[in-house]
Structures are given as structure tokens and as C-alpha cells.
Amino acid sequence: MNKLRTSIAAMVLSLAALPTTAETLTDALIDAYRDSGLIDQNRAVLRAADEDVAQAVATLRPVLNYAAGVNYADPSTGSDVNATISLTAGMLLYDFGRSELGVDVAKETVLATRAVLVDVENTVLLNTVTAYLAVRRSEAFVDLRQNNVRLLTEQLRATRDRFDVGEVTRTDVSLAEARLAAARSGLAAEQGGLAQAREQYRAVVGQYPDNLAPPPTPPAIPASEEAARAIARQENPQVIQVRHQVKAADIAVERASRNRLPNIEVSGRFGIDDEGDDSTSLGVELSGPIYQGGALSSLKRQSLARRDQVRAQLYTTGLLVDQQVGNAYANLAVAIASIDASDRQVRAAQLALEGVREELQLGARTTLEVLDQEQEVLDALTSRVAAEVDRYLAIYQVLDAMGRLTAERLGLNVPIYDPAAYYNAVKDAPLHISPQGQRLDRVLRSIGRN
């Protein structure tokens, strides 16, 4: 029986290699990156932000419109139907830089939205790691509970045999029966937890887990919390997002301060009627606000308030990122300490169990004491598995806090989405998607998102 327990513990704690057909953590990360609806959703949001740049650029270009009409008049006037067609063109010549500032705001918004996409990618991949480890942990817990049920079943059988020859009382048999019933209840609970973990895995990865392999050696992280915080302050996508929002807000304040300045526009018109008579006009217009009911002053105050808001948000985001890094390293330190303590606990509990069993044969221990020690061993093994999972997860939490939990950083063998590709295709407001945009379509198809 001791050999059986030792072999089970070795299987769980060392996470021995599974067959080559096992699904690896890398496989799960690739599936999540390729098929995540959340990532795809935010890619579409980014493309929409890219179009804002194109629309801002378009305000600096000529505008050409046409109009055609047919009018009916009283025949007594001598003409009952008149038809005309005309072309009008207009272009902003100068507005004291407001339109150019609008383009700059749109560009900063694009950069902020790119950071959001990176943050979503970090979150999706961290959720994948969490779901993967949750399934592995639940599987290990089920194995431990199943082994415990087998051991207690043997214990009950041995106790009944001893009762039959008068070595123990009915109370000993009842204690063994009660402990076995509790073990079966615990097994049912762990099996329910495994079912939930499988459902969570499917929600994150897109399919149910199938024969999950042990996780590989985790990526390297900075040796100190201070180093990780310094990286996070520069590379965390939440910080990057707010930085660009601050820049956009600063530009918006400058743009609002110029709203009272005039516009200079050029316009032209050419028209022709059904009798062949044409008309042409060309002009330059200077226009500007005199009184807007206080709206322009309100817009400027609003832009100042929004700038103050995002500046404060940048400060609080930095604190939040520091906290994320600190929490991850704290979790890592606790997990490492727990692993060492759990190893000692497992060894001591197994030795104690062997001693209690031998003393039971000599009549120096009771059945209840043996059952209690069985539970001690189970608790120690469970703690060891949980601590190992927590250690692994904490490492990925550090990567997430630094903003480095991306497909590119992890070296996943999957086509990497280029957030600048669509922007480069539409930033100049083309009438049609360029060959560069067509290449983007091929990339989207290659990752199964088009």
C-alpha cells in the first residue's frame, strides 16, 4: 500500500511526461490567439480607429459634388419643364491648423487603441494559461481523491476482517465506513471541479482539453521586483494607452483654443441647363464665428477637464501596474515557500502514516488515528500540487504585468497580426484598398479571421 501511495505521489508531483499526442500549453496558446473572439473584436475596433485618421486627412482635401434636377412650372409662363446639372468643388485653404491637429488626435487615438489590443492579447493568453493549469490541477486532485478512495476501501476491508476475528470493535468499522463515505463525497466534488475547469478551458481556448501535457519550463522573468516594475512602467499596454490618450488630450486642448479663428475656403461651381446654357463661378471665402451662445468656451473648458482626467488616470494606472507586479512576485514567493514546506509535509506525513500503521498492528494506535493520518497525507499532497500550479501561474502573471505575454514574445508558431498593416493601407484615405491592404486580407485569411 505504501508503494502504491508513493507511486501516485510521484506521478502527481513530478507531472511525468505524457504521450506525444498530448495537447501542450503551446498548442492551447496558439488556439486561443488564433480563434479568440475578443482579440478579433478589438482588431476590428483598431481598424475603425485607423479609418478615423483617413477621415481626418480627407478634411484637408478637395470636395467635389454633383447635383441634377428637373423643375416643372406652369405652362402659362411659356416653359413647363427645366432640367439642370451642376458640379461644385470646395477646399479648405487654411484654418489655423485645426484640421492638422485633428489628424494628430486621430493618430494618437490609433496608438492608444493598439495598446488596448496588446492588453487584450495579454489577458487572453493569461486566461489560457490559467485555464490550462486549472484543468491540470483538477485532474491531479481527482487522481489523489480516487487513490484515497481505493486506500480507504482497502482499509475498510481490513478493518472488517479484524472485526470478524475480534481484534477491533464495531466502532472501528463505522469510523472506516464514515471516512470512506467522506472520501467518495470529496471525489465527487473534485470531479465537479474538473468539469467546471474543462468548461472554462473550452470558453477560453475554443475546445475541450484532451490529454493535457505537463507545462513546459516557464519563460524567464526579471530576478527582482524592481526590475520588473521598471519594465512594466515602460511596456505595460495600459500605461502606453493612457500616455497616448494624454497626448491626444493635449492636442485637443490646443485645437479647442483655435476654434474662434476663421477658415479660408475656395469654392467653384459649373452648371448647365437643358438649353445648353452654362454658368461658372469661382470664389474665396473667409468665415468665422462671432457668437455661438457660449458653446466654444464650453468646448475649451471641456477639453481642459478631459486632459486633467487622463493625466490623473496616467498616475493611477502606473500605481495599478506597480501593484500588479508586486502581487505577482508576492504570489511567486508564497508559492515557492509553499512548495518547500509541502515537500517536507509530504515526507513527514508519509513516514508518520507508516509508523501509525505499524503501531496499530501492535495495538498502540486506533483505527481513527490511522484514518486521520491518511487524511494528513492527502492534504499534504493536495497542497503540493496547488503550490506548484500557483508558482507557474505567478510567473505568467509577472509577464502579463510587464506587457510581455504576447504571441510574439512567447515565440508562438502562428502568423502574428500586424496592427500597423491596415493603418498603412488606409492612412492616406485611398478610394480603394491598396495592394498593401490586399496583403493584409491574405494575412487575415491565414489566421482564420476573414
Side-chain angles (χ1 to χ4, degrees):
M1 192 177 299
N2 289 336
K3 291 182 179 179
L4 178 60
R5 178 176 294 281
T6 302
S7 64
I8 292 293
M11 176 192 69
V12 175
L13 299 181
S14 64
L15 300 178
L18 297 178
T20 56
T21 57
E23 182 179 355
T24 66
L25 177 58
T26 300
D27 294 333
L29 291 170
I30 289 175
D31 288 341
Y33 178 79
R34 185 181 59 236
D35 300 328
S36 171
L38 185 59
I39 291 179
D40 189 48
Q41 170 189 336
N42 280 271
R43 287 171 179 168
V45 171
L46 176 58
R47 293 196 293 274
D50 293 340
E51 294 293 354
D52 287 338
V53 176
Q55 293 167 26
V57 168
T59 62
L60 298 170
R61 294 180 176 175
V63 176
L64 182 64
N65 295 306
Y66 72 90
V70 177
N71 297 319
Y72 174 78
D74 188 343
S76 63
T77 63
S79 176
D80 54 358
V81 177
N82 293 312
T84 60
I85 186 171
S86 64
L87 294 176
T88 60
M91 182 177 179
L92 175 67
L93 293 181
Y94 189 63
D95 65 352
F96 292 86
R98 287 193 301 275
S99 295
E100 288 85 350
L101 291 174
V103 174
D104 293 338
V105 168
K107 289 180 178 179
E108 292 296 335
T109 302
V110 165
L111 295 175
T113 310
R114 288 183 190 177
V116 173
L117 178 59
V118 174
D119 187 48
V120 169
E121 183 179 342
N122 274 261
T123 299
V124 167
L125 296 185
L126 179 62
N127 289 343
T128 302
V129 174
T130 303
Y132 191 98
L133 293 176
V135 172
R136 291 278 300 168
R137 176 175 53 197
S138 293
E139 289 175 343
F141 285 176
V142 168
D143 288 341
L144 286 171
R145 292 287 181 177
Q146 287 175 336
N147 183 58
N148 190 48
V149 168
R150 287 193 295 268
L151 291 173
L152 290 176
T153 300
E154 294 179 12
Q155 182 73 39
L156 176 59
R157 183 171 57 250
T159 302
R160 285 172 174 170
D161 291 341
R162 297 183 67 191
F163 172 75
D164 291 340
V165 298
E167 293 184 5
V168 296
T169 67
R170 170 59 65 181
T171 301
D172 294 301
V173 176
S174 297
L175 287 171
E177 289 174 343
R179 195 58 64 91
L180 176 59
R184 286 172 175 166
S185 175
L187 173 59
E190 293 299 346
Q191 288 173 332
L194 175 58
Q196 293 177 357
R198 287 173 56 83
E199 291 296 335
Q200 179 63 23
Y201 184 95
R202 180 176 180 270
V204 173
V205 179
Q207 61 189 14
Y208 286 110
D210 181 23
N211 193 22
L212 299 186
T217 301
I221 60 174
S224 69
E225 181 180 332
E226 291 73 17
R229 283 185 176 179
I231 294 173
R233 283 281 186 159
Q234 296 298 319
E235 299 184 16
N236 185 284
Q238 296 177 34
V239 174
I240 295 174
Q241 174 196 356
V242 182
R243 281 179 186 159
H244 288 295
Q245 288 175 339
V246 169
K247 292 180 181 179
D250 288 337
I251 297 171
V253 169
E254 178 60 26
R255 188 184 185 195
S257 67
R258 303 184 186 184
N259 281 339
R260 297 181 183 276
L261 300 176
N263 295 336
I264 301 177
E265 298 179 356
V266 61
S267 62
R269 182 182 182 280
F270 173 80
I272 188 171
D273 58 22
D274 54 354
E275 296 181 355
D277 296 329
D278 62 80
S279 61
T280 304
S281 64
L282 180 65
V284 177
E285 180 180 275
L286 174 68
S287 64
I290 296 177
Y291 178 67
Q292 299 291 327
L296 297 182
S297 297
S298 176
L299 287 172
K300 183 174 181 180
R301 293 192 301 270
Q302 184 182 60
S303 65
L304 289 169
R306 288 176 174 169
R307 183 191 64 183
D308 294 341
Q309 172 198 349
V310 293
R311 285 180 175 178
Q313 185 180 353
L314 179 59
Y315 174 75
T316 57
T317 301
L319 294 179
L320 177 62
V321 168
D322 284 346
Q323 181 183 9
Q324 290 175 344
V325 174
N327 289 344
Y329 272 90
N331 292 339
L332 180 59
V334 170
I336 292 174
S338 297
I339 289 172
D340 181 65
S342 296
D343 285 340
R344 298 173 185 272
Q345 183 184 6
V346 168
R347 289 192 297 268
Q350 288 178 333
L351 288 174
L353 177 60
E354 294 173 1
V356 170
R357 282 177 175 163
E358 292 178 0
E359 293 172 4
L360 176 65
Q361 301 298 324
L362 300 175
R365 296 286 183 175
T366 65
T367 301
L368 178 59
E369 289 175 303
V370 174
L371 294 174
D372 287 341
Q373 194 56 44
E374 289 275 1
Q375 187 64 43
E376 287 286 339
V377 174
L378 176 63
D379 292 343
L381 291 171
T382 302
S383 297
R384 178 61 173 82
V385 172
E388 182 60 36
V389 169
D390 290 343
R391 182 191 72 86
Y392 204 91
L393 181 58
I395 293 174
Y396 279 90
Q397 288 173 340
V398 171
L399 293 174
D400 174 58
M402 293 191 302
R404 292 185 172 184
L405 192 56
T406 63
E408 185 175 6
R409 287 280 191 175
L410 294 177
L412 301 182
N413 186 21
V414 62
I416 302 298
Y417 183 84
D418 181 6
Y422 190 85
Y423 173 83
N424 291 332
V426 303
K427 65 179 181 179
D428 295 324
L431 295 178
H432 304 286
I433 294 295
S434 64
Q436 187 177 21
Q438 296 172 0
R439 289 195 297 271
L440 172 63
D441 290 338
R442 290 195 293 271
V443 172
L444 291 173
R445 286 193 294 270
S446 71
I447 62 176
R449 308 312 303 169
N450 192 20

